[in-house]
């Protein structure tokens, strides 16, 4: 029997004194022997499809046999998802500081080596419990003992991170502007990418750059590396270090599709079945060709001129060298110059996303593409 609860977490206050609140849903398993899970959505204001996926997960999980505890947080950033300008949701950047909402999480690598030295001969259970306590204490110190205070974004991020640090698997649900589905996956967890029904995987280095996925896997990766330097070997993704975090890109922003969201929820459940979180054998990954590239080969194509863009390249399909990704209309040139300009690349690429508007300035990011891509080997 699983216990389901809903709580409301206050993450800040507005100028009027009104509370900024976030719903937190939890399933607690009576047989919690597997890795615990944390899933959040809508850290960026316009990236709303993750809320629909969490709804479908809540519906499906009620009928699953759980081997672990699962926490789900839609509307993770109440400032961003209410940040409107006319018809559009903004909310990618903190409007006060200008910082990306998904670059405010905390990780202090200086705590890793002293911990590894103190616990070099400890049991795996002691390492797990004490390192998790250390990470949580770091966040508590940030939240409650910072005499200079915190920005709105930091206060939200740290409270979400406090929930995520209590889990072993973290999924941060996002979308692109106009985008295909793709997965940000740490390099050490490449094998797990085969268990999501997502055809394109970005393999990211095991380094911290401020995002939620990095904030939750980098501490464990760094600890594993520190132990290894002292002669004690562990394997990431197994045993004590069975910790994985992903950013799951669910398509395009500013829209939800509940039917597609159910497919995405089933995809996540297939991965959770592989990790032993649920025992329902019906959740299995689909057979498909999965492509990957390293983050350094995920290239942005910037517009060579201002104009009106007709986006031509299909997402997820290999585009041959020299084939146009887009054509740019310059009506100011009509009659005395070239009105249409085609944009192409010199190598085959896989287009993943493009800018949301047809109206661009010179230097606007038109497309992001997989460059030097390869097929992801089956596990």
């Amino acid at each position: 029997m699983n216990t389901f609860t809903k709580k409301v977490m206050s993450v800040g206050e507005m100028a009027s004194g009104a509370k900024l609140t976030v719903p937190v849903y939890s399933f607690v398993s009576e047989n919690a022997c597997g890795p615990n899970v944390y899933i959040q959505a809508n850290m960026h204001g316009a990236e709303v499809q993750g809320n629909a996926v969490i709804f479908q997960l809540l519906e499906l999980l009620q009928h699953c046999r759980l081997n672990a505890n699962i926490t789900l947080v839609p509307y993770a950033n109440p400032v961003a998802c209410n940040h409107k300008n006319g018809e559009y949701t903004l909310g990618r950047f903190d409007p006060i500081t200008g910082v990306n909402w998904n670059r405010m999480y905390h990780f202090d690598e200086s705590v890793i080596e002293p911990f590894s030295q103190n616990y070099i001969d400890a049991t795996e259970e002691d390492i797990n419990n004490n390192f998790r306590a250390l990470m949580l204490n770091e966040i508590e110190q940030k939240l409650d003992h910072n005499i200079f205070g915190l920005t709105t974004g930091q206060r939200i991020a740290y409270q979400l991170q406090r929930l995520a640090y209590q889990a072993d698997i973290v999924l941060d649900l996002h979308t692109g502007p106009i985008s295909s589905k793709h997965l940000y996956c740490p390099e050490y967890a490449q094998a797990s990418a085969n268990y999501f029904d997502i055809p394109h995987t970005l393999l990211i280095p095991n380094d911290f750059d401020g995002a939620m996925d990095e904030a939750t896997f980098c501490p464990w990766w760094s600890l594993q590396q520190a132990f290894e330097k002292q002669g004690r070997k562990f394997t990431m993704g197994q045993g004590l270090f069975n910790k994985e975090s992903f950013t799951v890109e669910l398509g395009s922003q500013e829209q939800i599709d509940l039917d597609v969201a159910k497919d995405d929820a089933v995809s996540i459940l297939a991965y959770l079945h592989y990790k032993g979180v649920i025992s329902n054998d019906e959740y299995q990954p689909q057979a498909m060709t999965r492509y990957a590239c390293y983050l350094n080969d995920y290239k942005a194509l910037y517009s060579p001129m201002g104009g009106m863009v007709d986006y031509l390249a299909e997402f997820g399909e290999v585009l041959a060298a020299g084939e146009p990704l887009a054509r740019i209309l310059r009506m100011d040139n009509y009659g005395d110059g070239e009105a249409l300009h085609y944009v192409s690349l010199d190598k085959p690429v896989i287009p993943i996303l493009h800018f949301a508007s047809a109206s661009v300035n010179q230097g606007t990011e038109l497309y992001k593409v997989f460059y030097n891509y390869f097929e992801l080997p089956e596990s």
Side-chain angles (χ1 to χ4, degrees):
M1 186 71 179
N2 306 318
T3 303
F4 175 70
T5 61
K6 174 186 177 180
K7 296 181 181 178
V8 176
M9 180 173 68
S10 175
V11 294
E13 296 178 354
M14 300 178 71
S16 64
K19 300 286 187 184
L20 293 167
T21 60
V22 171
V24 179
Y25 300 95
S26 298
F27 290 90
V28 177
S29 170
E30 65 177 5
N31 179 35
C33 56
N36 294 325
V37 178
Y38 173 81
I39 303 173
Q40 72 175 31
N42 210 180
M43 191 61 186
H44 289 139
E47 301 180 12
V48 293
Q49 176 70 359
N51 298 318
V53 173
I54 285 181
F55 166 77
Q56 297 289 17
L57 282 169
L58 290 170
E59 293 283 287
L60 294 170
L61 283 168
Q62 294 183 55
H63 307 287
C64 286
R65 299 184 299 279
L66 303 186
N67 302 319
N69 304 325
I70 303 177
T71 300
L72 305 101
V73 180
Y75 307 124
N77 186 346
V79 177
C81 61
N82 287 295
H83 188 187
K84 306 290 288 189
N85 186 358
E87 300 176 19
Y88 302 101
T89 309
L90 302 180
R92 183 171 182 81
F93 303 97
D94 183 331
I96 306 301
T97 66
V99 178
N100 186 325
W101 289 112
N102 193 34
R103 295 296 184 274
M104 300 190 201
Y105 298 98
H106 171 73
F107 171 44
D108 178 7
E109 193 167 2
S110 69
V111 304
I112 300 297
E113 188 172 345
F115 181 92
S116 69
Q117 292 171 348
N118 290 336
Y119 287 87
I120 186 63
D121 296 318
T123 65
E124 292 192 7
E125 182 178 7
D126 281 348
I127 293 170
N128 185 70
N129 293 339
N130 286 284
F131 187 63
R132 199 183 300 277
L134 172 64
M135 291 191 295
L136 287 167
N137 183 64
E138 287 272 302
I139 294 298
E140 295 293 350
Q141 292 296 317
K142 286 285 186 182
L143 282 167
D144 299 328
H145 301 285
N146 189 329
I147 63 171
F148 294 105
L150 299 169
T151 68
T152 300
Q154 288 171 328
R155 186 170 297 279
I156 293 170
Y158 296 163
Q159 291 183 85
L160 296 170
Q161 194 173 351
R162 180 166 55 189
L163 293 176
Y165 270 171
Q166 298 171 57
D168 305 293
I169 292 170
V170 174
L171 304 180
D172 193 10
L173 309 184
H174 285 257
T175 65
I178 307 297
S179 176
S180 62
K181 296 178 187 178
H182 53 290
L183 183 73
Y184 284 84
C185 172
E187 291 177 4
Y188 75 82
Q190 176 179 317
S192 290
N194 285 297
Y195 293 89
F196 293 90
D197 294 333
I198 296 177
H200 303 103
T201 296
L202 269 166
L203 296 171
I204 64 174
N206 306 321
D207 301 321
F208 179 65
D209 194 34
M212 169 60 95
D213 56 351
E214 299 158 348
T216 46
F217 79 73
C218 283
W220 292 98
W221 169 260
S222 299
L223 181 62
Q224 184 260 353
Q225 294 289 292
F227 275 132
E228 190 165 302
K229 286 180 182 177
Q230 297 178 63
R232 187 170 182 184
K233 292 191 175 182
F234 295 98
T235 301
M236 281 300 292
Q238 298 179 19
L240 167 63
F241 287 88
N242 187 15
K243 320 292 182 187
E244 294 184 348
S245 304
F246 305 90
T247 295
V248 185
E249 299 280 353
L250 298 164
S252 303
Q253 65 187 25
E254 291 280 38
Q255 60 186 8
I256 69 167
D257 184 320
L258 283 164
D259 294 329
V260 172
K262 187 170 184 180
D263 293 336
D264 292 329
V266 168
S267 166
I268 289 171
L269 291 177
Y271 165 72
L272 296 184
H273 175 266
Y274 158 66
K275 296 300 291 185
V277 177
I278 63 173
S279 298
N280 301 65
D281 292 339
E282 65 267 30
Y283 293 113
Q284 299 290 336
Q286 295 179 20
M288 64 173 66
T289 301
R290 294 172 171 85
Y291 291 98
C293 82
Y294 290 99
L295 188 62
N296 285 342
D297 290 321
Y298 187 42
K299 301 296 187 182
L301 172 66
Y302 299 99
S303 182
M305 63 188 69
M308 304 294 121
V309 181
D310 183 8
Y311 298 98
L312 301 176
E314 294 291 330
F315 291 143
E317 301 294 330
V318 175
L319 186 73
E323 288 295 310
L325 284 93
R327 53 190 172 189
I328 301 176
L329 175 64
R330 288 289 300 265
M331 286 304 301
D332 58 312
N333 286 342
Y334 191 84
D336 58 5
E338 292 293 330
L340 280 179
H341 300 262
Y342 287 81
V343 180
S344 60
L345 292 169
D346 63 349
K347 287 185 65 173
V349 296
I350 301 177
I352 298 297
L353 59 83
H354 67 64
F355 191 60
S357 173
S359 175
V360 304
N361 298 325
Q362 186 178 39
T364 296
E365 183 181 283
L366 290 183
Y367 273 94
K368 296 196 81 169
V369 300
F370 279 16
Y371 197 72
N372 296 325
Y373 58 87
F374 52 92
E375 282 193 29
L376 199 64
E378 294 183 7
S379 297

